[in-house]
Amino acid sequence: MSGTQEAAAIDPQDVKNLIKVVGYEITKDLGDVFLVQDESKIPIWCCVQDNIVVNTIPCVTLDSAKLSAGVMRSMMDASNGLTTSSFRLNDLGDGKVQVVLTNFCKLLELEEDDADDIWSALNFLEIDLIKARDLLKDVI
Amino acid sequence: MGFWDYFSRGGRVVRGKANAAMDSIEDATFETTLQQTVKDMKTELRTLVNNSADAVANATRLERQHGKLVSQSNEWKNRARAALKAGKEDLARKALVKKKEFDEDAAKLQPSVDSAKKIADTLGSRIGQLKDRIQDAERNASTLIARRNAATAQKKVAAALADVGTADNAFATLSRFEQAVEKEEAAASAFDALAGGSESDDLMDEFKALEADAALAGMDDDLAALKAELEG
């Protein structure tokens, strides 16, 4: 659309290269979805869609009954201490739900700025994981 | 496995593929629809701009025409004045008749002038509003596309996680990492303590020797006193 910044699709391989440069290892590669880990081995799933990279950490699998209204409220509270991430719930069936933390960043030229953006997004996600564990400590 | 099981499995595969195809058609349609909406608004803008140019030109022309009529009316009024000064009343009357004609023509034209100006202003205002709407639409389209992309990406990740199962549990991994770090830190502290033990023993020995020297040095007076006692 003229007048707006054209959203050019990014090659997932270029994103993987950037992620390696900022210190993460690609431990599982499914094309535009891949698993990255640093020395902590915390699993972060990345997905490249057009010019967006969505990063997801699968925190824990719970009985959905444990997610009371109070717990959900604290997960959604704007002042719960999470920085760039938000919770999502994946229904696994059989009364089980997978709690994940997710954030994303928008990429432009795949240069230094984008490397910083990716590094920040991944780091903030890991920092938010600690807060997330704290928020869910009564149900895990 | 019965016939209907195969059928339902086959149906699921077909539905799965159809859904995937529909998803991709919907994705393409979504973006196309957004682009088309903005394109249509820009076409409307071009039409408005063209109409506005015509309206402004028309209003300007009518204003000029009206201006000429008013100007001519004033001229005939001046002629009437001059004729009166010259004592030519009949001539003055004729001049005033002419003035009146121009006044009437100007008065007849006034509504058209007002209307043309109003149309030009309205079109100008609509152009401004449409430009704002186009800007909003482009901004929203960009946001909607980004949100759509994020939603699509999250679906893909959820599918990948479903395949992996519950093997990935970041809380457990985090705890293991913290324990490993604590263990390393404890080992490092222990090593420091061991490595620092012999060093501090040497230091203590030195201080003890220093204290012993000081003690000996402090005996001079006592020694002198004892010598004096023995001699005496």
Side-chain angles (χ1 to χ4, degrees):
Chain A
M1 261 166 282
S2 61
T4 60
Q5 198 157 21
E6 293 283 339
I10 302 259
D11 186 343
Q13 188 54 51
D14 291 336
V15 177
K16 290 170 199 168
N17 293 342
L18 261 189
I19 285 177
K20 285 179 200 169
V21 161
V22 299
Y24 288 79
E25 202 188 328
I26 315 287
T27 53
K28 213 172 270 181
D29 193 339
L30 306 172
D32 53 3
V33 180
F34 45 96
L35 177 63
V36 309
Q37 290 172 294
D38 61 6
E39 54 173 350
S40 69
K41 299 299 175 198
I42 290 169
I44 305 178
W45 286 89
C46 301
C47 178
V48 180
Q49 184 68 30
D50 283 357
N51 66 337
I52 302 267
V53 179
V54 175
N55 310 304
T56 305
I57 292 184
C59 299
V60 70
T61 300
L62 298 172
D63 289 332
S64 49
K66 285 190 175 181
L67 291 173
S68 63
V71 170
M72 297 274 271
R73 194 191 184 96
S74 69
M75 289 164 76
M76 291 169 64
D77 189 346
S79 53
N80 62 9
L82 294 179
T83 58
T84 64
S85 330
S86 56
F87 284 106
R88 292 181 77 85
L89 303 177
N90 293 334
D91 188 0
L92 301 177
D94 291 330
K96 298 279 185 197
V97 72
Q98 186 184 48
V99 180
V100 307
L101 258 187
T102 184
N103 71 7
F104 70 93
C105 56
K106 191 171 174 184
L107 305 176
L108 295 171
E109 309 260 319
L110 291 173
E111 287 174 5
E112 258 182 48
D113 284 347
D114 280 342
D116 283 344
D117 286 347
I118 289 178
W119 182 84
S120 295
L122 295 174
N123 263 260
F124 275 118
L125 192 58
E126 287 178 311
I127 288 166
D128 283 346
L129 179 67
I130 299 171
K131 188 66 200 174
R133 186 179 59 180
D134 198 43
L135 288 168
L136 296 174
K137 65 180 185 296
D138 293 334
V139 298
I140 54 174
Chain B
M1 214 180 269
F3 171 76
W4 293 111
D5 292 312
Y6 280 111
F7 186 76
S8 66
R9 275 185 61 207
R12 273 202 297 280
V13 167
V14 167
R15 278 200 303 281
K17 287 200 184 303
N19 282 341
M22 277 309 297
D23 280 349
S24 108
I25 290 171
E26 275 176 3
D27 283 350
T29 308
F30 176 76
E31 207 156 330
T32 308
T33 305
L34 285 174
Q35 286 173 348
Q36 190 57 44
T37 304
V38 174
K39 198 174 166 186
D40 288 346
M41 287 166 81
K42 285 183 173 175
T43 304
E44 191 188 335
L45 178 66
R46 266 195 303 277
T47 307
L48 259 183
V49 166
N50 292 341
N51 291 347
S52 174
D54 290 341
V56 166
N58 188 43
T60 307
R61 184 180 52 79
L62 285 170
E63 265 180 323
R64 239 184 254 142
Q65 220 173 316
H66 183 267
K68 270 186 195 163
L69 292 171
V70 168
S71 169
Q72 280 171 325
S73 161
N74 287 338
E75 271 179 34
W76 282 107
K77 187 178 176 183
N78 290 338
R79 284 179 191 135
R81 208 181 270 134
L84 258 185
K85 273 188 186 168
K88 293 180 180 174
E89 207 171 281
D90 282 345
L91 196 57
R93 266 183 220 279
K94 283 178 186 171
L96 284 175
V97 165
K98 274 300 212 192
K99 176 192 176 311
K100 195 175 175 186
E101 280 172 16
F102 282 112
D103 284 344
E104 281 168 3
D105 287 344
K108 274 184 208 162
L109 195 58
Q110 187 65 58
S112 302
V113 170
D114 292 341
S115 167
K117 205 166 175 301
K118 197 172 174 188
I119 290 171
D121 288 345
T122 303
L123 284 173
S125 164
R126 274 179 61 189
I127 285 171
Q129 286 168 5
L130 187 54
K131 279 183 179 170
D132 288 343
R133 275 175 52 206
I134 288 172
Q135 263 187 4
D136 282 345
E138 284 179 331
R139 211 174 17 244
N140 288 340
S142 178
T143 305
L144 285 170
I145 288 171
R147 281 170 62 181
R148 192 277 313 267
N149 287 340
T152 305
Q154 273 154 359
K155 265 195 239 172
K156 287 184 182 175
V157 171
L161 288 176
D163 282 345
V164 160
T166 56
D168 285 342
N169 179 325
F171 286 165
T173 310
L174 179 63
S175 297
R176 280 196 297 274
F177 180 63
E178 285 169 336
Q179 283 165 12
V181 167
E182 277 167 23
K183 225 171 156 178
E184 268 189 46
E185 283 175 350
S189 295
F191 181 77
D192 281 345
L194 282 172
S198 59
E199 211 174 275
S200 64
D201 281 348
D202 287 341
L203 202 60
M204 284 310 295
D205 286 345
E206 269 182 66
F207 272 108
K208 279 182 185 163
L210 199 66
E211 281 163 11
D213 286 347
L216 281 173
M219 291 294 106
D220 284 350
D221 289 341
D222 290 342
L223 192 62
L226 190 62
K227 274 182 183 172
E229 200 180 309
L230 284 173
E231 281 167 8

